[in-house]
């Protein structure tokens, strides 16, 4: 259930990023390109992004731990941009998906996606129950 919510929030965040033309991040939907295909493409890209973040991102973050310390965590922005670019590269092989024109605009897009995920994560996080004594 958490993965599905994460995918939906990621799909929303990616959609928001594609609405900002200056970032040069676009989504190529499945054929014929109607609204339903756009939504399904966003969900598929978000699922791939979540898997890339979970599998490859975890390994990179463990290996880059000393860089996190040296840069006070700023290397995380570069890593997230790389993971977004990697997702775009994976999905472009299918003929649909995400396109990122520039790596650095991808870093900015990843920062925006991270902010949106953090906001929705705070809102959707399950509340701890207070114990009654």
């Amino acid at each position: 259930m958490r993965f599905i919510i994460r995918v939906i929030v990621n799909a929303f965040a990616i959609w928001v990023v594609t609405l900002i033309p200056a970032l040069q991040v676009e989504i190529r939907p499945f054929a014929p390109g109607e609204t339903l295909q756009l939504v399904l493409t966003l969900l598929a890209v978000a699922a791939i992004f979540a898997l890339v973040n979970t599998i490859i991102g975890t390994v990179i973050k463990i290996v880059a731990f000393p860089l996190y310390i040296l840069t006070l965590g700023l290397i995380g922005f570069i890593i997230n941009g790389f993971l977004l670019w990697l997702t775009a590269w994976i999905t472009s092989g299918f003929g649909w998906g995400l396109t990122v024109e520039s790596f650095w605009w991808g870093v900015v897009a990843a920062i925006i996606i991270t902010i949106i995920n953090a906001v929705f994560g705070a809102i959707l996080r399950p509340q701890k129950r207070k114990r009654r004594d």
Side-chain angles (χ1 to χ4, degrees), residues 30 48 117:
F30 298 119
I48 292 171
N117 281 333

Side-chain angles (χ1 to χ4, degrees), residues 4 11 19-20 42 51 58 62 83-84 95 106 115 121 130 132:
I4 293 172
L19 294 177
I20 304 171
L42 282 168
L51 288 173
T58 303
I62 290 171
L83 294 173
L84 184 68
I115 292 170
K130 293 182 180 179
R132 294 184 185 189

Side-chain angles (χ1 to χ4, degrees), residues 72-123:
L72 302 175
L74 294 177
I75 191 72
F77 296 132
I78 305 298
I79 291 172
N80 286 339
F82 171 73
L83 294 173
L84 184 68
W85 177 80
L86 185 62
T87 303
W89 180 75
I90 291 170
T91 59
S92 68
F94 299 121
W96 51 266
L98 194 64
T99 57
V100 179
E101 294 299 322
S102 167
F103 176 77
W104 294 109
W105 285 119
V107 170
V108 174
I111 291 170
I112 295 170
I113 290 171
T114 302
I115 292 170
I116 293 172
N117 281 333
V119 168
F120 277 98
I123 293 170

Side-chain angles (χ1 to χ4, degrees), residues 53-75:
N53 239 342
T54 302
I55 298 168
I56 299 171
T58 303
V59 172
I60 291 174
K61 289 172 186 172
I62 290 171
V63 171
F65 183 70
L67 288 175
Y68 273 92
I69 294 171
L70 288 173
T71 63
L72 302 175
L74 294 177
I75 191 72

